[in-house]
Amino acid sequence: MSDEKTFYITTPIYYVNDVPHVGNASTTIVSDVMARFMRLKGRKVIFATGTDENGPKVLEAARERGKDPQTFTDEIAAQFKDIWGKLNISYDDFIRTTEERHIRVVQEFLSRLIASGDVYKGTYAGWYCLSDETFFAASEVTDNLCPNPECRKPLKWVEEENYFFRLSRYTDRLKRHIEENPEFLTPEVRRNEVLRFIEGGLRDASISRSGYGWGIPVREDPQQVVYVWFDALLNYLTVTGWPEDAEKYNQTWPPDVEFMAKDIFVRFHSTLWPAMLMALDLPLPKRLFGHGFWTIEGEKISKSKGNAVPPATLARQLADISGAEVDVCVDAIRYFVMRELPVSSDSDFSMQGLIRRFNADLANDLGNLLNRNLQMLTRYFEGVVPQQSPPDSEIRDLAAQICCEVEEAFESLQFPQALAALWRFIARMNKYADEKAPWVLAREGKIEDLANVLYTALESVRIAAVGVAPFMPTVAKIIWHQLGIEEALSGQVWDRAAVWGGLKAGTRVRDVAPIFPRITAKETPRKEETPAVNEPAGETPYISFDEFKKLDLRTGQIKSAEKVAGADKLLKLSVDIGSEVRTVVAGIAQYYAPDALIDKTVVLIVNLAPAKIRGVESQGMLLAADVGGEAILLMPDRDVPPGSKVR
Ligand code: MSP
């Protein structure tokens, strides 16, 4: 084990011009979940995060607040650590680019490149974006505004003597590396973007600024300060002790996976960074993962919109609404972020969405599974786990298969799929309790069967707890505690998680209590009260009777229902509306099992313009009550023929 490579995971190091919001927290949460999973796998892990503290942007932010840059960066770095602590981020190293160890690495790296001829002095004339700390070629700029669509701030024309890195020299090697190592860049869409960017031709990169105050001086030419991106990328090397601590470096380098979002994926991490490493013949990171962007309540995250709320504040708000512990709410946010993680495209973070997941996945599914089984154990066996009879092979095999799926999802960095697999197991086990009806077994005195059913259910809860632990460490610990298992959860090993029989007969459950109180509609903030939204409050406007008459509402009978592939919220339904059978795609998969809908009569709008949803044309929309984010279908209280008009 000791000669096995340390699994090395990195987040971007964040600019200290502001404290973290849901956006940067999500990258850190993803990295943390990966780190926790690899520790569970028994690997030694170094999970590094940190702050990017040099450069004109930080200097400007410090000046705006009337502080000297070092005091300013000390304060914000401390706030980052505090917020990561509140989000239960288990980082092993927190790297700050103003640290001595990092300054030495940057200077040494650059000296070696100057010596090898890969860095040379030249004159730079071009556009610079302070906000993105990025140089742009004149050909990329059309209107003196930053060409990055996420930025669009005014550019500054810069003309000065700089050091240049011979990036152009690495064009072919880079392209070859990407093509020969399909795992290097994930997801696929961004890999293609990188290839297109490289094929467009790489120019040598300016890697210093002249006479600029806040940054790392070039050792050979102290009038020059190292360009902040060249400096920042090297943080990943600093963490490994390069070049001074050869043992640590050999044990740790290269990173097994580096996480970030799409904004810094193409130009910096997939191009400049690997070329820098190639120039010193250092191995490249094994994988780079560039997820999509979050919006909040449909809006871009920005300070001026007032929606750049620290996630710990959101957790407190959720705790106020739900009555759950703040740490449980932190886990709910971690769950939401991982379940809805934007990968190829972007995702929206909304309080309504969070509440929906809280109620449906956490309170109804996971919470219910735990509660009902612990309560039955308390009622029928005085809270002591009974002896198991021969295991139910269907459930035992399913548990093993789910654990394989979770592991595969981690290997391919498909985090929402890992959770989807775990929730399939949880759903199956809730259905298992319904099917086996332990209360009937108890009534009929079938004690052995009752013991077997409860053992099977609780053993499944144990396995689910290990599975959710990387995502929701606090919740997993509470479940573990309630199950009464003596061995520490932290001592569990993933490869043994699904070995049936981990829960020992005679174990006494303890402190049984619901973890996720269901949020009712009354407690749900109305949209205009939702934290982090900046929308004008307003009443729903009146509509005229004529406008209402335009809606063609009818009853319909559901003839078939199935999940839409690749979309865990959607069901595809065939609905008989008397005159014809319509296909309707409805976002109700979390609330209704497809089979339970067959022959049900529902209400739908039949003259809504058809829309393509996930490649399926939806020819109508079902009406449902929104209760705390949960969709409850409207159904007539007696038989009505399909196609009856609803007025
Ligand atoms: N300092 C550089 C990174 C240097 S790494 C060698 C930087 N810092 S940053 O503070 O701007 O952080 C950018 C990163 O924050 C993104 O790549 C992403 O990980 C995260 N995010 C910031 N806003 C985000 C969203 N709205 N959505 C998702 N992630 C976001 O760039």
Side-chain angles (χ1 to χ4, degrees), residues 11-17 21-28 52 57 80 229 232-236 259-264 269 291-295 301 342:
T11 75
I13 48 168
Y14 302 105
Y15 288 129
V16 288
N17 53 344
H21 49 65
V22 168
N24 16 50
S26 75
T27 314
T28 313
D52 190 352
K57 180 167 160 157
F80 265 86
W229 264 103
L233 288 163
L234 289 170
N235 89 84
Y236 304 131
F259 289 101
M260 71 211 74
K262 60 184 182 181
D263 54 338
I264 56 176
H269 282 82
H291 59 76
F293 253 45
W294 287 98
T295 51
I301 305 180

